[in-house]
Amino acid sequence: MKVEIYSDVVCPWCYIGHTRFARAVERYRAKGGEVEVAFRPFQLAPDAESNGELTLKWAAAKFGGAERAAQMFGHVSEVAAEDGLALDFDHSIQANTFDAHRLIQLAGEQGKGEEALYALFRAHFTDGLDVGSREVLAGLADEIGVRADLDGEDGAAAVKEELSRARSLGVSSVPLFLFEGQFAVSGAQPEDTLLAALEEVAERTGQSPAAGQVEAHAWPRLPER
């Protein structure tokens, strides 16, 4: 089964969603299922500048003040902690993520897309690094053994094409899990829900390792434009 995951590396719910989905996939594979995952780019703030601004300050201006921003990040940090993730919003830096998505694209071409994705999540949410900085991205590429010339145009055309495809599909929030190009589940759903989605799509498409054991759900289909 092919699953495409649309996400952004500065999106905390994406970090949580990816973590839960990875665990659901482990359980699904233990039952004999096969999954191929593709990481697709989405930018929550495509006009954001990579100027070293702290995420808290950026969010305070965007979401109605520092108190409101702190409440939002406090809630998502508590949810993330339940999944074993430490989110440090006191030091995270707001960034334009286009080049980060280029790194994921190039890493994916070299069989290391997942490593790049999680390296970027950790860099932004745990290590307080600027994932909009090409110097930082070059360092992460070296760490995971990926060849990436981000000072040139490597990966740029592919990322632009995928961002355009996301718009044409109507993707407006992330994370979004697209199963077999037609069944969509949106949001950082619980692990059990994501496992149920894998099982149901497998049953619907004749790939189920345990047919007949899945409760029916009405997963929505993305609009075609």
Side-chain angles (χ1 to χ4, degrees):
M1 182 192 309
K2 183 173 183 178
V3 183
E4 299 168 83
I5 309 177
Y6 287 87
S7 63
D8 199 359
V9 297
V10 295
C11 165
W13 293 110
C14 294
Y15 194 7
I16 295 168
H18 273 282
T19 300
R20 292 175 177 177
F21 183 73
R23 292 170 181 163
V25 166
E26 286 183 8
R27 292 166 61 188
Y28 179 71
R29 285 175 173 159
K31 298 180 179 183
E34 297 182 5
V35 182
E36 175 190 345
V37 180
F39 304 110
R40 304 302 189 204
F42 185 87
Q43 288 191 279
L44 289 174
D47 296 327
E49 296 181 5
S50 295
N51 57 11
E53 184 178 27
L54 290 175
T55 301
L56 275 172
K57 182 178 179 181
W58 173 85
K62 185 175 180 64
F63 297 111
E67 183 176 352
R68 173 60 178 157
Q71 289 175 345
M72 291 170 52
F73 290 142
H75 170 64
V76 71
S77 294
E78 290 175 2
V79 174
E82 295 175 359
D83 284 281
L85 303 176
L87 307 186
D88 182 1
F89 285 107
D90 288 333
H91 297 94
S92 72
I93 298 171
Q94 186 63 18
N96 186 295
T97 57
F98 183 80
D99 285 335
H101 287 300
R102 289 173 62 202
L103 176 56
I104 296 170
Q105 172 68 31
L106 295 169
E109 294 172 0
Q110 298 168 50
K112 295 188 176 184
E114 186 172 19
E115 290 182 57
L117 176 73
Y118 281 100
L120 286 159
F121 278 140
R122 289 190 295 270
H124 178 71
F125 289 107
T126 304
D127 300 333
L129 297 177
D130 181 358
V131 295
S133 162
R134 290 183 176 177
E135 181 179 356
V136 168
L137 295 174
L140 293 175
D142 287 341
E143 285 180 18
I144 61 178
V146 168
R147 300 181 303 279
D149 179 12
L150 297 175
D151 288 326
E153 293 297 317
D154 287 3
V159 170
K160 289 178 182 177
E161 182 178 348
E162 288 294 346
L163 289 170
S164 177
R165 178 171 177 256
R167 289 191 294 270
S168 70
L169 288 171
V171 179
S172 59
S173 63
V174 287
L176 184 135
F177 304 86
L178 182 59
F179 299 79
E180 290 293 324
Q182 55 183 328
F183 304 103
V185 175
S186 181
Q189 299 293 336
E191 180 183 326
D192 286 347
T193 300
L194 294 169
L195 176 60
L198 285 165
E199 291 176 332
E200 181 175 342
V201 172
E203 185 179 39
R204 289 190 182 193
T205 57
Q207 304 178 58
S208 178
Q213 298 181 9
V214 182
E215 180 182 353
H217 297 277
W219 305 114
R221 179 172 180 141
L222 283 174
E224 296 182 0
R225 295 186 178 180

